[in-house]
Amino acid sequence: MEKGRIIFLNGVTSSGKTSIVEALQDQKDIFFYVVANDLFQEMIGEHYLHENYWRYLSEVIIMMYYTAKLFSDMGKNVLIDGILVEREELRPHYSQLLEILKDNPLDIVEVYCPLDICRQRNIIRGDRYEMQSQEQYTLMAKNIKYSTKVDTSIYSSEKCAEKIIQELFY
């Protein structure tokens, strides 16, 4: 059985990852399952997150990668909506991702948006704090090998999705 493609959308909060995921799921000719940091974080009880956020989040992020691998191994395309950070609890995060998915077709897409625009989006959303994107940016893994990059400050989510499909599937 041919393995499904795994597309990892990597970017800080409010950069536009989830909107691109939704646009990709609207595609008629390519179907994707989605795994996301936010969805997997919801598997953890709130009191555990308050007790030791990064310990529990780190565990569930690694489980998310194994879930993506399982879907891919079953021939299903997968979108990962996440962020590659280098915290002590996850280090070396990027290397762990590559090791877990070494036998699967993985493309990492940089979802870029200037931090000042992300800050404005955080304020409008109201479910993130103003400087959350900036804080995440300082934690992001360095030297990631990206397959492509999209800029959500210039292009709509739909245009970004079209670019991803065109560059990675055709």
Side-chain angles (χ1 to χ4, degrees):
M1 172 186 305
E2 187 175 331
K3 294 184 184 216
R5 299 281 298 272
I6 300 172
I7 310 298
F8 190 120
L9 300 177
N10 184 51
V12 298
T13 192
S14 294
S15 61
K17 298 181 306 288
T18 303
S19 297
I20 294 170
V21 163
E22 291 167 358
L24 285 166
Q25 285 190 300
D26 284 341
Q27 298 293 313
K28 301 294 183 225
D29 52 344
I30 300 174
F31 178 81
F32 293 97
Y33 287 93
V34 177
V35 296
N37 282 7
D38 292 346
L39 296 173
F40 274 71
Q41 181 176 320
E42 290 178 16
M43 295 177 178
I44 306 167
E46 281 296 318
H47 72 279
Y48 291 107
L49 287 174
H50 290 296
E51 175 187 308
N52 193 333
Y53 179 82
W54 281 104
R55 173 184 167 210
Y56 293 106
L57 184 65
S58 300
E59 289 175 358
V60 82
I61 285 172
I62 298 303
M63 287 185 254
M64 178 178 72
Y65 298 155
Y66 280 106
T67 301
K69 177 178 178 28
L70 175 65
F71 277 89
S72 173
D73 288 346
M74 295 176 69
K76 308 299 181 189
N77 294 322
V78 182
L79 297 171
I80 299 176
D81 178 346
I83 178 173
L84 290 164
V85 298
E86 290 299 343
R87 291 265 317 176
E88 191 59 41
E89 299 84 350
L90 273 166
R91 202 168 271 132
H93 185 175
Y94 179 48
S95 297
Q96 286 187 76
L97 170 77
L98 296 178
E99 177 62 27
I100 292 166
L101 299 175
K102 69 181 177 206
D103 297 324
N104 300 80
L106 170 66
D107 288 290
I108 303 174
V109 176
E110 180 180 8
V111 179
Y112 173 79
C113 184
L115 292 173
D116 60 321
I117 294 174
C118 290
R119 184 182 62 77
Q120 293 168 7
R121 290 176 180 176
N122 287 339
I123 293 168
I124 292 167
R125 287 175 67 158
D127 63 345
R128 305 285 195 265
Y129 54 93
E130 184 176 341
M131 299 307 292
Q132 190 168 349
S133 303
Q134 176 66 44
E135 288 177 16
Q136 288 179 352
Y137 179 77
T138 63
L139 299 173
M140 283 186 77
K142 308 295 184 238
N143 302 316
I144 296 170
K145 184 175 184 261
Y146 290 107
S147 300
T148 192
K149 174 182 179 175
V150 294
D151 185 338
T152 64
S153 69
I154 299 173
Y155 300 106
S156 69
S157 302
E158 293 74 22
K159 288 287 184 196
C160 291
E162 288 172 16
K163 179 181 181 187
I164 291 166
I165 296 296
Q166 191 63 39
E167 290 189 17
L168 302 182
F169 284 87
Y170 297 110

